[in-house]
Amino acid sequence: MDILEKKENQKFSVTPSDLIYLNADVGSVFDSQVANLLTAISKFNTFKSIILVCGVKSNHEKIRAQRALINSGVTLVFFKAYPNYPIFNLLQQGEIYRALKRAKTGENHQIHIRGELLASNALPAIIKLFGNTNKVLVDIRGAGIEELSIYQAATGWKLFLKNWNYRLAFRKLKNFIKISVVSPSLKEYLIEKTSIEPERIYINPCLAGKNFRFNEESRAKTRHELGLNVSDKLFIFSSGGSAGWQNTNEIGNLISDKYLILNLSKTEIDKKGVLNHFVSYSKVHDYLNAADAAIIFREANIVNKVACPVKFCEYVSCGLPVISNHAVDEIKNYISQNKAGIILNQPSDIHNIDLENLIKEDRISQSETALSKYGEEQVVAKYLDIYFN
């Protein structure tokens, strides 16, 4: 029985309450991780209302958020997002306070905050408006401090000030009772960084939206549109953003006459054997179904070690075998436990793999296995359990 069919038997809340979800920006994973999550939560009919309190830098971002949540039943309240520097903290806290004051509709609330920086700036407003943090969950998505030094463009005093804000945010985490992280490795990292008790830290991975599941009809249609023959092997690389950890430029070293590579990213690779497409999020699942295997290589550092890449969750949810390296613990462990692909020591080893052996697995079965962990219904059910635990 599907989890959505079970929801009537799940008693998550004793008294009716509202969910207030705080999000800092409308970034590359807004549609896949924020809009999808809130839309899926609304299907459980657990809350009287769901309110997204979202930071925006422009009217364009505001419109994009509204479009992503149209007909979802989610109410949107916006606030101005300031840059991540200490000089803006008081201004940012004022913006968040006013937005939360508009969002507060009754006495009973669950509050979900995406990111430790936002939690740090939201803390004064939460204490003032709600009295305590007993019903607040802070959702941490990665190793933010190290991400700054490894992948961000800031240097010198700018890097110092951004780092100062992150370290302040980590110190403030002790004020929150419940914290969620996307992987077991991130939990270990957070315990080491903050000494927060392990029982206060829950693990809930990134989610794959409802359309990310294997569909034979979608596969046939999209392969036809791409002009592929039945015998053509297609490997896919998908990225919604252009962050350094995506490692898009590695694609050029993976080209082979044994297969084609579909580059589904904003970075075009102008080489024979690479098909370049960048499509809206709503169409990505069709291209994943059209592929025969997926590629995701990351650099060996702490940022990638503790990550739960959204694209990986989407790959395996479409039943794709994944070709990766040892950098990401979540990927390495999942592939090993579920025989869901192959782990290479280095990208160039891809030229020595047995393609027939790699892609022979039952896509439907692999899809179902992945959805039992990364499917949106499963992720939502875990969050509901955390809220009302």
Side-chain angles (χ1 to χ4, degrees):
M1 184 181 293
D2 189 274
I3 248 188
L4 285 175
E5 295 176 318
K6 295 178 182 177
K7 68 179 183 291
E8 295 300 329
N9 297 322
Q10 295 174 330
K11 297 181 180 178
F12 291 112
S13 178
V14 176
T15 57
S17 61
D18 304 296
L19 174 65
I20 298 175
Y21 188 100
L22 273 75
N23 181 59
D25 55 34
V26 186
S28 62
V29 298
F30 179 85
D31 293 65
S32 67
Q33 301 303 298
V34 178
N36 266 346
L37 175 66
L38 296 180
T39 301
I41 289 176
S42 70
K43 295 175 184 176
F44 277 69
N45 296 318
T46 302
F47 295 101
K48 288 192 302 180
S49 66
I50 300 174
I51 305 155
L52 170 62
V53 177
C54 187
V56 291
K57 300 182 180 71
S58 67
N59 194 53
H60 171 76
E61 289 189 353
K62 185 181 293 188
I63 293 170
R64 185 184 153 199
Q66 290 168 335
R67 286 176 177 169
L69 286 159
I70 193 167
N71 298 325
S72 67
V74 176
T75 301
L76 286 90
V77 175
F78 295 108
F79 64 88
K80 182 178 179 179
Y82 284 92
N84 171 32
Y85 293 110
I87 192 173
F88 294 112
N89 284 355
L90 286 178
L91 290 171
Q92 190 66 85
Q93 289 166 18
E95 283 285 326
I96 294 169
Y97 172 78
R98 288 185 288 273
L100 280 176
K101 192 173 181 180
R102 295 197 304 274
K104 186 177 180 182
T105 58
E107 293 303 315
N108 296 308
H109 297 82
Q110 293 290 330
I111 300 174
H112 186 147
I113 308 176
R114 183 180 171 89
E116 61 273 32
L117 281 177
L118 182 56
S120 177
N121 277 319
L123 181 60
I126 289 171
I127 296 300
K128 189 171 183 179
L129 291 169
F130 301 94
N132 56 58
T133 62
N134 293 345
K135 294 185 178 181
V136 179
L137 171 67
V138 178
D139 204 344
I140 298 178
R141 317 300 294 183
I145 294 174
E146 288 79 4
E147 183 183 320
L148 274 175
S149 58
I150 298 172
Y151 291 114
Q152 298 295 322
T155 57
W157 66 269
K158 289 184 178 181
L159 179 61
F160 173 82
L161 291 175
K162 285 177 178 284
N163 254 310
W164 191 92
N165 253 5
Y166 264 104
R167 295 183 188 284
L168 173 64
F170 267 75
R171 289 197 297 273
K172 286 187 180 180
L173 283 175
K174 68 178 185 297
N175 294 288
F176 297 97
I177 296 171
K178 297 178 183 179
I179 297 169
S180 175
V181 295
V182 295
S183 72
S185 295
L186 185 53
K187 179 174 181 175
E188 293 174 7
Y189 163 91
L190 192 61
I191 292 170
E192 182 181 339
K193 284 283 183 183
T194 66
S195 300
I196 291 174
E197 299 87 343
E199 59 270 19
R200 289 168 56 193
I201 305 174
Y202 302 83
I203 300 170
N204 208 3
C206 293
L207 65 85
K210 64 180 181 180
N211 292 322
F212 289 90
R213 56 192 69 221
F214 183 64
N215 184 301
E216 188 65 59
E217 184 179 338
S218 169
R219 173 178 170 80
K221 181 176 181 291
T222 309
R223 285 180 70 89
H224 176 74
E225 291 172 354
L226 290 169
L228 300 175
N229 297 317
V230 174
S231 60
D232 289 333
K233 301 293 187 296
L234 182 67
F235 288 6
I236 194 167
F237 171 90
S238 176
S239 172
S242 55
W245 58 79
Q246 304 288 358
N247 229 7
T248 309
N249 292 329
E250 191 66 59
I251 293 175
N253 300 318
L254 306 176
I255 296 171
S256 170
D257 58 6
K258 297 178 183 178
Y259 50 80
L260 295 168
I261 296 178
L262 178 58
N263 172 32
L264 217 62
S265 78
K266 293 179 179 178
T267 303
E268 187 166 319
I269 307 295
D270 187 18
K271 292 189 177 182
K272 184 180 179 181
V274 179
L275 308 176
N276 293 287
H277 287 268
F278 187 75
V279 299
S280 65
Y281 170 73
S282 63
K283 296 181 180 179
V284 170
H285 61 92
D286 290 323
Y287 289 87
L288 297 191
N289 277 312
D292 297 294
I295 299 166
I296 180 167
F297 289 106
R298 296 288 176 93
E299 296 173 327
N301 57 47
I302 188 62
V303 174
N304 291 315
K305 177 181 173 63
V306 304
C308 178
V310 172
K311 291 307 170 187
F312 172 72
C313 302
E314 294 173 349
Y315 289 159
V316 291
S317 292
C318 285
L320 278 169
V322 176
I323 305 166
S324 189
N325 59 351
H326 295 272
V328 183
D329 285 354
E330 181 73 18
I331 294 177
K332 181 174 61 175
N333 294 336
Y334 183 90
I335 289 177
S336 174
Q337 292 165 9
N338 297 283
K339 298 181 180 179
I342 186 168
I343 298 294
L344 305 178
N345 290 320
Q346 54 191 7
S348 60
D349 291 343
I350 196 172
H351 302 295
N352 302 319
I353 65 176
D354 182 343
L355 298 187
E356 296 301 327
N357 224 20
L358 175 71
I359 64 179
K360 71 178 182 179
E361 293 293 335
D362 178 4
R363 291 278 294 269
I364 295 176
S365 175
Q366 288 287 351
S367 177
E368 290 174 349
T369 298
L371 289 168
S372 70
K373 180 174 185 180
Y374 303 119
E376 62 178 31
E377 296 94 345
Q378 301 290 339
V379 172
V380 167
K382 285 185 178 180
Y383 276 131
L384 293 177
D385 193 43
I386 297 170
Y387 295 156
F388 300 109
N389 185 355

